[in-house]
Amino acid sequence: MSKFTGKSPWVVHFNCNSCNGCDIEFLACLTPLYDAERFGVLHVGNPKHADILVVTGSVNKKNMHVLKNVYDQIPSPKAVVAMGVCAATGGLFADCYNVVGGIDKVIPVDVHVPGCPPKPEAMLDGIVKAVEILKKKTKETETVTEELPVVIVKPKELPAEPAAPEAAKESEK
Amino acid sequence: MMKINEEVSLETLVGKVAALQVAGYRFVTMTTVDCDDYFDIYYHYDKDYELYTLRLKVEKPGVVPSISTACFAALIIENEIQDLFGITFTGLVVDYEKHFLLAPDAPEKPFCHVPGVKITTVDSPAAKKEEVAE
Amino acid sequence: MSMIVPFGPQHPVLPEPLQLRLEIVDETVVSALPVIGYVHRGLERLAEQKDFQQDTYLIEHICGICSFMHSTTYCTGIEEIMNIEIPERAKYLRVAWSEMHRIHSHLLALGLLADAFGFESLFYQIWRTREHIMDAMEFTTGGRVMLSAACVGGVRKDINEEQKKFVLEKLAAIEAEFKEEAHVLLDDYTVKSRTVGVGILDAKTAYERGAVGPTARASGIKMDHRMTGYFAYDKLDFEPVVEDGCDAYSRTKVRIREVYQSIDLIRQALAALPDTPLKTPFKGNPNGEAAVRAEQPRGEVIYYLKGNGTDKLARCRVRTPTFANVAPMLHMLNGCNLANVGVIVLSVDPCISCTER
């Protein structure tokens, strides 16, 4: 299992409180020029399908519940990437009344990517880092079970029966 | 400089707005300004690229008839003003009850200059500095 | 019997968190209500606490898609209060960067629309074309998204001959590549089956509900704030793009034609760049109030600014185009199929960060 997890990480993106700058740059990462798909990264909409959560923007009082909800739905092992300074500390908006702070106030973060907004190259770097962390986590969480003795179950051999009388008649015809 | 075309009162507001709608004016937006003792509410309308602005003076805390029945587009902005300034609009078509933009545990009336309503930026050093300066 | 289906805030089609509560009967939407506040930061309040020159940078971050236009419109407002006449070269440069933003925003919106109706390869193609304009912006200002080129009194950056040549090359590349993509969006049978007749907004309703920008122009309303001739638009030759189909297809068509129009405007502006300083020096603080408007990719934006003679503004209010387009969007959603909701929402090209600030 751990051998294959890092080969194709599926990414779900959540816009928390962002100004859209990081979002469009992250989407640009996936498109042909930067092409995150060459690392096997696939962008999905459903958190249940994903391995890596990419969050842009800081947390406010309303979306913190949504963020936690999305995070909880991702199956373990999972990695979280905080894109941009807003996701790290609140950035430019840290003094706003409705901003609680960086996303680490709600969920654990594995990789911080600095920048306002980060360049797509930096974002790709961040995702590749997250993949390494994901691989490590997979190894840690992998439980090795004891080899069980293999029991081969075979069906009992049927007693040889004479052919049914009807079938015999048909074959005669 | 902005030109204020007309002053309206709480009684004449709805009638005036309805007349503007009929005269072919397009609703642009509303702006609320906290002038410490009272609120100024501007109703911006537009016709042929010219801005037509009505001004309404409201005593605090503020109860204003809603114009959303005459002009549906005002619904969203009126709900926003309810959140941010704590002004109550009566007769809203859809009333979000002051939780349109803000979550229930967010600070109340964050745009008001009322003393006592502090902007809650708990861990921010900048906010603390300002408090000391005051 | 009707039931409520929530659409968002985390939804594969939406790049941003917006919730629509759709009341549906079988598959048909009867009414829709927006639930917003997931991106609300309280930026207007923060702008009142900072220096009015620092605000230029802050206001640029209202929205990453039309960042330059937000900051220039804000600067225009302050200039109007303080009676500052900006140099001619700054006016033309503001036009050039504004139109670059319009191209990048329209290509982004068209790509996302293609993604909404499931045409992923078209989405990728359009975004690839969009990288040309991102390169042009990066080469002229140093930033891909946040240009930070505007300041009160003019602009902070210049376009020299080498950069001008680069921009013109990139514009030619966009024009050549976009022709093929526009052909698919406009003439492909399957694409048309998803957009023609979807999300009808007639001219009367559009005007009454205050629609702006491409949403209004696709309903046959000739309204483009660039016609008022702010910056250097009065010296450039262009006509507003108007379509009268009233549906998602027309809105797509308006955006496609505006991309070509913007390419033309940048060429005109760069050809006519006068040789003057970039910035008018000024002293003092703003005192007074102003309401200024400008045409953004999504429509008309209005800034209300009030200064009280100190270095901090008394009030800074922004009404962004998407805010005005929410009420018309609710009208479009009435009576549509549940499967079309994504296409209709993206045909308006909503920008939620703008809306909630």
Side-chain angles (χ1 to χ4, degrees), chain A residues 12 14-20 24-25 28 31-32 34 37 45 60 62-63 92-93 96-98 116 119, chain C residues 10 16-17 36-43 46 61 63-64 108 124 127-128 131 138 144-146 351 353:
Chain A
V12 66
F14 184 66
N15 173 339
C16 242
N17 212 348
S18 153
C19 71
N20 263 345
I24 56 176
E25 290 293 76
T31 50
Y34 296 100
E37 270 183 43
N60 74 11
K62 200 162 183 177
N63 66 25
L92 183 61
F93 308 117
C96 290
Y97 61 83
N98 206 26
C116 182
K119 290 200 60 149
Chain C
Q10 167 69 11
E16 294 173 86
I36 63 173
Y38 296 101
V39 211
H40 179 65
R41 291 153 284 183
L43 195 142
L46 189 62
H61 286 73
C63 165
L108 177 140
Y124 278 5
W127 275 59
R128 184 162 138 181
E131 288 296 332
E138 193 177 5
R144 279 166 58 88
V145 176
M146 298 296 166
C351 175
S353 300

Side-chain angles (χ1 to χ4, degrees), chain C residues 98-118:
Chain C
S98 296
E99 294 304 318
M100 281 186 208
H101 261 285
R102 195 181 311 278
I103 296 177
H104 122 73
S105 170
H106 279 349
L107 290 180
L108 177 140
L110 291 171
L112 287 178
L113 178 71
D115 193 33
F117 54 64

Side-chain angles (χ1 to χ4, degrees), chain C residues 64-354:
Chain C
I65 304 176
C66 27
S67 56
F68 181 75
M69 286 152 135
H70 272 296
S71 54
T72 36
T73 315
Y74 168 79
C75 290
T76 318
I78 296 283
E79 283 149 15
E80 200 177 311
I81 296 177
M82 296 176 74
N83 278 323
I84 304 169
E85 179 67 26
I86 67 167
E88 284 295 303
R89 191 177 178 87
K91 286 184 186 171
Y92 281 90
L93 286 174
R94 281 184 180 185
V95 169
W97 280 315
S98 296
E99 294 304 318
M100 281 186 208
H101 261 285
R102 195 181 311 278
I103 296 177
H104 122 73
S105 170
H106 279 349
L107 290 180
L108 177 140
L110 291 171
L112 287 178
L113 178 71
D115 193 33
F117 54 64
F119 202 152
E120 208 163 328
S121 54
L122 183 61
F123 162 51
Y124 278 5
Q125 282 297 330
I126 293 177
W127 275 59
R128 184 162 138 181
T129 307
R130 177 176 162 271
E131 288 296 332
H132 290 303
I133 201 72
M134 305 305 279
D135 285 349
M137 288 197 281
E138 193 177 5
F139 195 63
T140 47
T141 64
R144 279 166 58 88
V145 176
M146 298 296 166
L147 302 187
S148 305
C151 65
V152 179
V155 288
R156 289 175 53 224
K157 285 160 186 168
D158 197 4
I159 296 184
N160 61 23
E161 284 303 314
E162 190 198 352
Q163 288 167 334
K164 198 198 267 185
K165 206 177 136 218
F166 183 82
V167 172
L168 292 176
E169 271 169 25
K170 287 292 175 191
L171 290 181
I174 293 171
E175 209 170 23
E177 281 181 29
F178 188 60
K179 210 169 265 172
E180 290 171 24
E181 291 140 18
H183 168 67
V184 177
L185 277 171
L186 290 178
D187 305 325
D188 193 280
Y189 171 76
T190 45
V191 173
K192 275 170 95 175
S193 72
R194 288 302 303 273
T195 52
V196 175
V198 172
I200 297 282
L201 177 74
D202 56 290
K204 189 169 165 282
T205 319
Y207 196 78
E208 275 176 8
R209 295 211 172 187
V212 292
T215 311
R217 289 198 286 278
S219 296
I221 300 172
K222 194 174 174 180
M223 182 176 70
D224 189 331
H225 261 274
R226 288 176 290 174
M227 294 303 285
T228 54
Y230 61 94
F231 303 159
Y233 282 114
D234 48 348
K235 288 159 202 140
L236 304 173
D237 176 36
F238 73 103
E239 268 294 301
V241 174
V242 182
E243 291 285 335
D244 50 7
C246 306
D247 54 0
Y249 180 73
S250 291
R251 290 190 277 279
T252 313
K253 208 169 175 181
V254 167
R255 292 207 176 89
I256 289 170
R257 284 177 56 197
E258 281 191 358
V259 170
Y260 292 125
Q261 187 192 46
S262 294
I263 292 175
D264 184 43
L265 278 170
I266 297 175
R267 282 182 182 148
Q268 286 185 38
L270 289 184
L273 268 186
D275 204 13
T276 64
L278 293 178
K279 197 181 162 189
T280 312
F282 66 94
K283 270 186 187 168
N285 294 319
N287 192 2
E289 50 184 356
V292 285
R293 290 186 286 172
E295 186 76 16
Q296 284 194 339
R298 289 168 184 75
E300 163 210 57
V301 65
I302 174 165
Y303 270 75
Y304 169 85
L305 304 169
K306 187 179 179 185
N308 51 7
T310 64
D311 60 348
K312 294 188 173 71
L313 291 175
R315 181 88 169 96
C316 166
R317 155 118 180 88
V318 192
R319 200 287 326 253
T320 56
T322 309
F323 203 100
N325 278 337
V326 170
M329 187 177 83
L330 298 180
H331 178 81
M332 289 176 212
L333 287 171
N334 287 351
C336 78
N337 277 337
L338 187 59
N340 275 340
V341 172
V343 174
I344 292 176
V345 171
L346 282 171
S347 76
V348 178
D349 189 10
C351 175
I352 311 300
S353 300
C354 273

